[in-house]
Amino acid sequence: MKCSCVILNYNDSDTVKKFIEKINLYNNISHFVIVDNQSTDSSFEELTDLYKNSANIVVIQSDENKGYGYGNNFGVRYVAEHFNDEYVLITNPDVIFSEQMLDKLLESINQNRASVISAVQYTTDDTEIKDKAWKVPTAFEYIFCDTKLSKILNLSSLYPNNHFDTDISVVDCVPGAMLLVKISDFLAIGGYDERMFLYGEETTLGYKLKKAGYKSLLANKEKYIHIGSTSTSKVMASKVEQRRRIYDSRLFFLKNYLKVNSITYFVASAVYSRILRKISKL
């Protein structure tokens, strides 16, 4: 079984090149689609020139940079229109995974008739990340999860450890650094919400899939390493700006998906503003 692979690039062609070199010979990847998200450097030209004679690597450019979700949707739609693959691997270029891991994901998503599957994400020092999968948060959790109240009330949208005791777990949301999706299901729910520029896309995708009755999985015995985004750091000039973008996405989710009332939305805005003020003073 094979899949296509969509890789989003923004001013980070060196990382993309190294990534392609590592996995280009994987037998379970039929096509690579590199989506340049309107880079402001020479990335698009460099990648186009490098792979212009490749039979299985395509370099395309989004019509505008509207963020992570828009760029990946652009790539998935290209795969759907040009290739016959049932599945597509959406991945950052700063991850490391084996051909055997991808084989397992392809086997599991097919056997379990799922729409999304991912493996457990590890850091470069071989530490399993805490938020390897999570439930769609409640409004209360999303508003107060970064406050002292969170610790007092033990607020968390994470699953208990025993949820991952089996080889495969059904989950709501998985990290967006690397996930395998069934193309028809992904496009049926509109893919990522293109109104969100960055952060929170995985939770929104998980919400949409769950509401539509589609299944998301985590392969607990499989792993990949996420080195850490370099392209995101080029977009975000500071930690305050990064956190502000996160809270903007949460407010969007609260309003457009959880449909909170105006009072709850006001409380969320106030809580997030207070946190941002504290961070800016550090």
Side-chain angles (χ1 to χ4, degrees):
M1 188 177 297
K2 294 186 177 184
C3 65
S4 284
C5 179
V6 169
I7 307 154
L8 192 63
N9 172 72
Y10 180 75
N11 292 353
D12 203 14
S13 59
D14 287 343
T15 303
V16 172
K17 293 172 192 175
K18 292 175 183 176
F19 179 66
I20 292 290
E21 287 175 5
K22 292 176 183 176
I23 66 173
N24 189 25
L25 296 180
Y26 284 10
N27 292 317
N28 46 22
I29 300 179
S30 57
H31 303 93
F32 296 88
V33 177
I34 302 170
V35 181
D36 183 77
N37 215 12
Q38 287 288 327
S39 293
T40 58
D41 62 6
S42 60
S43 287
F44 179 61
E45 292 75 18
E46 290 177 15
L47 292 168
T48 300
D49 184 63
L50 180 63
Y51 299 118
K52 61 184 177 182
N53 296 319
S54 175
N56 67 327
I57 304 173
V58 179
V59 182
I60 60 176
Q61 189 172 54
S62 59
D63 47 4
E64 59 181 315
N65 186 351
K66 293 177 65 176
Y68 170 89
Y70 183 89
N72 279 308
N73 285 353
F74 195 86
V76 175
R77 286 194 294 265
Y78 184 92
V79 171
E81 292 168 4
H82 292 84
F83 309 127
N84 294 319
D85 293 308
E86 184 176 4
Y87 304 104
V88 61
L89 184 71
I90 302 174
T91 179
N92 290 6
D94 59 344
V95 301
I96 301 171
F97 62 88
S98 69
E99 184 175 6
Q100 292 71 30
M101 183 224 69
L102 184 53
D103 272 335
K104 184 62 178 180
L105 296 191
L106 284 163
E107 176 187 337
S108 297
I109 195 173
N110 183 57
Q111 289 182 349
N112 291 278
R113 298 181 179 180
S115 301
V116 170
I117 190 169
S118 187
V120 179
Q121 185 183 138
Y122 282 72
T123 62
T124 52
D125 62 358
D126 205 36
T127 301
E128 182 181 295
I129 67 167
K130 183 179 180 181
D131 50 345
K132 56 186 176 183
W134 60 93
K135 294 172 282 187
V136 173
T138 65
F140 194 79
E141 288 169 343
Y142 230 21
I143 294 170
F144 295 104
C145 63
D146 294 335
T147 68
K148 292 181 179 179
L149 188 62
S150 175
K151 294 182 179 179
I152 295 172
L153 299 180
N154 195 28
L155 296 179
S156 177
S157 57
L158 298 180
Y159 293 96
N161 290 333
N162 62 8
H163 188 78
F164 305 105
D165 286 346
T166 56
D167 288 355
I168 301 289
S169 296
V170 177
V171 297
D172 289 351
C173 313
V174 296
M178 191 217 68
L179 64 162
L180 182 70
V181 306
K182 185 175 182 179
I183 296 173
S184 59
D185 294 350
F186 182 84
L187 295 179
I189 55 100
Y192 289 112
D193 191 318
E194 296 180 358
R195 295 171 293 177
M196 303 177 75
F197 187 84
L198 189 64
Y199 300 118
E201 305 92 341
E202 306 103 317
T203 296
T204 304
L205 180 66
Y207 176 94
K208 292 168 69 176
L209 288 165
K210 184 178 182 180
K211 187 174 182 181
Y214 293 130
K215 188 189 303 181
S216 297
L217 305 174
L218 187 72
N220 298 312
K221 298 288 181 67
E222 307 302 318
K223 64 181 286 188
Y224 71 96
I225 296 172
H226 186 201
I227 299 171
S229 178
T230 55
S231 58
T232 300
S233 63
K234 295 175 182 177
V235 177
M236 299 296 154
S238 69
K239 291 293 183 182
V240 175
E241 184 180 354
Q242 183 183 48
R243 188 66 70 89
R244 181 177 290 110
R245 182 78 72 174
I246 291 171
Y247 290 151
D248 285 345
S249 293
R250 288 187 188 178
L251 287 170
F252 178 88
F253 184 78
L254 288 167
K255 179 181 180 180
N256 293 280
Y257 288 93
L258 297 187
K259 306 295 184 181
V260 300
N261 59 39
S262 57
I263 295 175
T264 303
Y265 188 86
F266 174 80
V267 170
S269 298
V271 169
Y272 296 156
S273 295
R274 185 173 184 272
I275 295 172
L276 288 170
R277 286 194 298 271
K278 290 179 64 175
I279 296 174
S280 64
K281 294 177 181 179
L282 297 178

